[in-house]
Amino acid sequence: MLDEIVASRDAAGAALTAEVDAVIEAANAMSDRFRAGGRLLAFGRGEAAADAAHVAVEFTHPVIVGKRALPALCLGGEPALLGMWGRPQDIAVGICPATGDLAAARSLGLLTVALTANEEFPEADHVLCARCADPLVAREIHITVYHLLWELVHVFQEAA
């Protein structure tokens, strides 16, 4: 059993390396939106709502001295709020979104980013897939991905 868990984690980690270009592209697009005055609006379904809160805190309260605070809000488990709060220059980040969750955001012109477990998500501009059926391993990959997004957004911000 433990060997299966380790193998699942190793496979998901290796799959993340194959997603590196997608992570870089998403971070660059997010950086452009922040430069245009946009905000990050994060939400998550079920347990992923806690991750959405973590994402918002990471961007608004950087732990590395000298990194700029960027505007971010957590919508909890309420993606329907995207239609009320979202502006065209904003970024919607959905962690484990359901079909339709990003539709309103996309129709308003928001940049849409979906962190999924093992699903493609055609309604998002950027899909960052954990490539793992185990929800706990997928969550570990998502945590790694949103920390990478935070770091890369700041790299792009500083390079501008």
Side-chain angles (χ1 to χ4, degrees), residues 3-150:
D3 290 340
E4 291 174 19
I5 294 169
V6 170
S8 175
R9 289 181 72 201
D10 289 348
L16 178 57
T17 63
E19 295 280 320
V20 70
D21 289 341
V23 174
I24 292 168
E25 289 173 17
N28 190 29
M30 291 169 67
S31 179
D32 289 344
R33 294 296 177 112
F34 281 121
R35 264 192 232 101
R39 306 164 301 172
L40 185 145
L41 305 174
F43 71 90
R45 289 284 184 169
E47 293 145 359
D51 291 315
H54 187 168
V55 170
V57 167
E58 289 289 333
F59 280 87
T60 59
H61 184 69
V63 295
I64 298 176
V65 174
K67 298 293 183 184
R68 189 178 128 200
L70 296 168
L73 300 168
C74 174
L75 304 180
E78 298 296 331
L81 293 174
L82 289 167
M84 292 190 297
W85 285 82
R87 304 171 307 180
Q89 67 269 33
D90 290 339
I91 306 154
V93 175
I95 304 170
C96 299
T99 301
D101 282 352
L102 291 170
R106 197 161 194 198
S107 71
L108 291 171
L110 279 74
L111 177 73
T112 54
V113 180
L115 278 66
T116 68
N118 209 16
E119 312 85 18
E120 295 303 319
F121 206 79
E123 67 189 65
D125 298 307
H126 299 274
V127 179
L128 306 174
C129 188
R131 307 264 179 245
C132 185
D134 183 326
L136 297 177
V137 174
R139 187 171 189 205
E140 288 181 29
I141 297 298
H142 291 159
I143 292 168
T144 300
V145 167
Y146 60 71
H147 283 102
L148 284 169
L149 288 171
W150 179 87

